[in-house]
PDB file of all heavy atoms in Angstrom:
ATOM      1  N   SER A 296     116.544 129.041  99.388  1.00  0.00           N
ATOM      2  CA  SER A 296     116.319 130.235  98.624  1.00  0.00           C
ATOM      3  C   SER A 296     116.111 131.378  99.585  1.00  0.00           C
ATOM      4  O   SER A 296     115.791 131.199 100.774  1.00  0.00           O
ATOM      5  CB  SER A 296     115.108 130.061  97.750  1.00  0.00           C
ATOM      6  OG  SER A 296     113.941 129.736  98.524  1.00  0.00           O
ATOM      7  N   TYR A 297     116.332 132.617  99.059  1.00  0.00           N
ATOM      8  CA  TYR A 297     116.103 133.869  99.797  1.00  0.00           C
ATOM      9  C   TYR A 297     114.995 134.641  99.053  1.00  0.00           C
ATOM     10  O   TYR A 297     115.084 134.823  97.847  1.00  0.00           O
ATOM     11  CB  TYR A 297     117.360 134.666  99.891  1.00  0.00           C
ATOM     12  CG  TYR A 297     118.445 134.032 100.717  1.00  0.00           C
ATOM     13  CD1 TYR A 297     119.407 133.254 100.228  1.00  0.00           C
ATOM     14  CD2 TYR A 297     118.483 134.299 102.158  1.00  0.00           C
ATOM     15  CE1 TYR A 297     120.397 132.657 100.984  1.00  0.00           C
ATOM     16  CE2 TYR A 297     119.467 133.691 102.912  1.00  0.00           C
ATOM     17  CZ  TYR A 297     120.422 132.897 102.340  1.00  0.00           C
ATOM     18  OH  TYR A 297     121.375 132.346 103.127  1.00  0.00           O
ATOM     19  N   LEU A 298     114.015 135.138  99.801  1.00  0.00           N
ATOM     20  CA  LEU A 298     112.898 135.869  99.201  1.00  0.00           C
ATOM     21  C   LEU A 298     113.053 137.319  99.627  1.00  0.00           C
ATOM     22  O   LEU A 298     113.002 137.624 100.796  1.00  0.00           O
ATOM     23  CB  LEU A 298     111.567 135.294  99.623  1.00  0.00           C
ATOM     24  CG  LEU A 298     110.351 135.779  98.911  1.00  0.00           C
ATOM     25  CD1 LEU A 298     110.457 135.421  97.411  1.00  0.00           C
ATOM     26  CD2 LEU A 298     109.101 135.148  99.469  1.00  0.00           C
ATOM     27  N   LEU A 299     113.244 138.216  98.649  1.00  0.00           N
ATOM     28  CA  LEU A 299     113.417 139.647  98.886  1.00  0.00           C
ATOM     29  C   LEU A 299     112.368 140.365  98.099  1.00  0.00           C
ATOM     30  O   LEU A 299     111.807 139.913  97.108  1.00  0.00           O
ATOM     31  CB  LEU A 299     114.785 140.110  98.445  1.00  0.00           C
ATOM     32  CG  LEU A 299     116.001 139.317  98.989  1.00  0.00           C
ATOM     33  CD1 LEU A 299     117.309 139.816  98.393  1.00  0.00           C
ATOM     34  CD2 LEU A 299     116.022 139.390 100.507  1.00  0.00           C
ATOM     35  N   ALA A 300     112.016 141.582  98.574  1.00  0.00           N
ATOM     36  CA  ALA A 300     111.021 142.457  97.913  1.00  0.00           C
ATOM     37  C   ALA A 300     111.398 143.870  97.956  1.00  0.00           C
ATOM     38  O   ALA A 300     111.915 144.385  98.964  1.00  0.00           O
ATOM     39  CB  ALA A 300     109.632 142.205  98.589  1.00  0.00           C
ATOM     40  N   ALA A 301     111.170 144.598  96.867  1.00  0.00           N
ATOM     41  CA  ALA A 301     111.489 146.008  96.799  1.00  0.00           C
ATOM     42  C   ALA A 301     110.209 146.844  96.988  1.00  0.00           C
ATOM     43  O   ALA A 301     109.102 146.331  97.080  1.00  0.00           O
ATOM     44  CB  ALA A 301     112.090 146.314  95.420  1.00  0.00           C
ATOM     45  N   ASP A 302     110.404 148.144  97.047  1.00  0.00           N
ATOM     46  CA  ASP A 302     109.224 149.025  97.206  1.00  0.00           C
ATOM     47  C   ASP A 302     108.538 149.364  95.910  1.00  0.00           C
ATOM     48  O   ASP A 302     107.379 149.794  95.914  1.00  0.00           O
ATOM     49  CB  ASP A 302     109.723 150.363  97.875  1.00  0.00           C
ATOM     50  CG  ASP A 302     110.136 150.175  99.322  1.00  0.00           C
ATOM     51  OD1 ASP A 302     109.411 149.344 100.019  1.00  0.00           O
ATOM     52  OD2 ASP A 302     111.055 150.741  99.796  1.00  0.00           O
ATOM     53  N   SER A 303     109.207 149.135  94.804  1.00  0.00           N
ATOM     54  CA  SER A 303     108.595 149.463  93.488  1.00  0.00           C
ATOM     55  C   SER A 303     109.095 148.454  92.462  1.00  0.00           C
ATOM     56  O   SER A 303     110.118 147.781  92.658  1.00  0.00           O
ATOM     57  CB  SER A 303     108.917 150.875  93.106  1.00  0.00           C
ATOM     58  OG  SER A 303     110.366 151.009  92.841  1.00  0.00           O
ATOM     59  N   GLU A 304     108.412 148.435  91.351  1.00  0.00           N
ATOM     60  CA  GLU A 304     108.774 147.556  90.251  1.00  0.00           C
ATOM     61  C   GLU A 304     110.131 147.954  89.623  1.00  0.00           C
ATOM     62  O   GLU A 304     110.932 147.080  89.336  1.00  0.00           O
ATOM     63  CB  GLU A 304     107.709 147.578  89.181  1.00  0.00           C
ATOM     64  CG  GLU A 304     107.933 146.533  88.106  1.00  0.00           C
ATOM     65  CD  GLU A 304     106.784 146.437  87.085  1.00  0.00           C
ATOM     66  OE1 GLU A 304     105.786 147.181  87.253  1.00  0.00           O
ATOM     67  OE2 GLU A 304     106.919 145.651  86.130  1.00  0.00           O
ATOM     68  N   ALA A 305     110.334 149.234  89.505  1.00  0.00           N
ATOM     69  CA  ALA A 305     111.609 149.736  88.901  1.00  0.00           C
ATOM     70  C   ALA A 305     112.815 149.299  89.804  1.00  0.00           C
ATOM     71  O   ALA A 305     113.811 148.813  89.294  1.00  0.00           O
ATOM     72  CB  ALA A 305     111.582 151.220  88.732  1.00  0.00           C
ATOM     73  N   GLU A 306     112.616 149.470  91.073  1.00  0.00           N
ATOM     74  CA  GLU A 306     113.722 149.075  91.986  1.00  0.00           C
ATOM     75  C   GLU A 306     113.948 147.589  91.965  1.00  0.00           C
ATOM     76  O   GLU A 306     115.084 147.104  92.021  1.00  0.00           O
ATOM     77  CB  GLU A 306     113.363 149.552  93.432  1.00  0.00           C
ATOM     78  CG  GLU A 306     114.515 149.523  94.370  1.00  0.00           C
ATOM     79  CD  GLU A 306     114.219 150.150  95.729  1.00  0.00           C
ATOM     80  OE1 GLU A 306     113.164 150.780  95.867  1.00  0.00           O
ATOM     81  OE2 GLU A 306     115.025 149.942  96.625  1.00  0.00           O
TER      82      GLU A 306
END
Side-chain angles (χ1 to χ4, degrees):
S296 59
Y297 293 91
L298 192 60
L299 308 176
D302 289 322
S303 65
E304 185 175 359
E306 193 173 349

